Amino acid sequence: KVLPACLLLALLLLAPALSAEHERGLIINLEAGELCLQSAQCKSGCCRRDSGLSLARCAPKAAEFQECSPKSIYGVYYKCPCERGLTCDADKSIVGSITNSNFGVCVDPQDYSRR
C-alpha cells in the first residue's frame, strides 16, 4: 500500500515539469534555430538544412522575393516554403521534388498575375 502512495506523489510532482517541457518544445512546437527532423516539428512549419551533411534546424518561412522550395517530399527543405499568402514561383516537376533542386522565388500571386 505504500508503493502506490509514493507513485502517486511522484506523478504529482513530475506532472508540472513534464507539461512545462512540452510547452517549451522538446519534440514539437520548436523555435527557429532548434534541431529538427521534420517540418511538422517546427512552429514555422519549415525544417531546413544547408547541405546534405548538415543538421536540420527550424527556420522561418521565406518572405517575398526570397528563395523558396514549393514542396518537399522528405519533410526537410534546403529552402523554406513561402509565408502565407505568397507563392513559390519554381519548377514544380516531380524530378525537382525528388532531387530537392526545385528552388524558386516567393511572389505575391496577385502581383504576379498582373504581369
Side-chain angles (χ1 to χ4, degrees):
K1 289 188 177 193
V2 174
L3 182 60
C6 292
L7 184 60
L8 179 63
L9 182 60
L11 288 174
L12 289 173
L13 293 174
L14 285 175
L18 291 174
S19 67
E21 286 178 351
H22 181 68
E23 288 171 12
R24 202 171 58 234
L26 289 177
I27 297 172
I28 59 168
N29 217 16
L30 300 175
E31 299 286 344
E34 292 188 275
L35 293 174
C36 54
L37 296 173
Q38 291 285 320
S39 291
Q41 294 177 277
C42 304
K43 277 186 182 180
S44 67
C46 179
C47 181
R48 70 174 291 275
R49 69 177 75 239
D50 292 325
S51 70
L53 300 176
S54 64
L55 295 173
R57 294 183 180 274
C58 293
K61 288 197 173 176
E64 193 169 12
F65 306 118
Q66 288 185 330
E67 283 190 299
C68 57
S69 291
K71 184 73 177 151
S72 170
I73 59 174
Y74 307 110
V76 178
Y77 296 92
Y78 286 103
K79 306 288 181 186
C80 287
C82 300
E83 294 175 339
R84 181 176 290 176
L86 300 176
T87 301
C88 189
D89 183 28
D91 172 23
K92 294 180 174 70
S93 70
I94 190 70
V95 174
S97 294
I98 292 169
T99 60
N100 212 354
S101 62
N102 55 343
F103 306 134
V105 176
C106 292
V107 294
D108 184 333
Q110 292 178 348
D111 291 344
Y112 191 65
S113 65
R114 293 181 198 144
R115 293 181 188 169

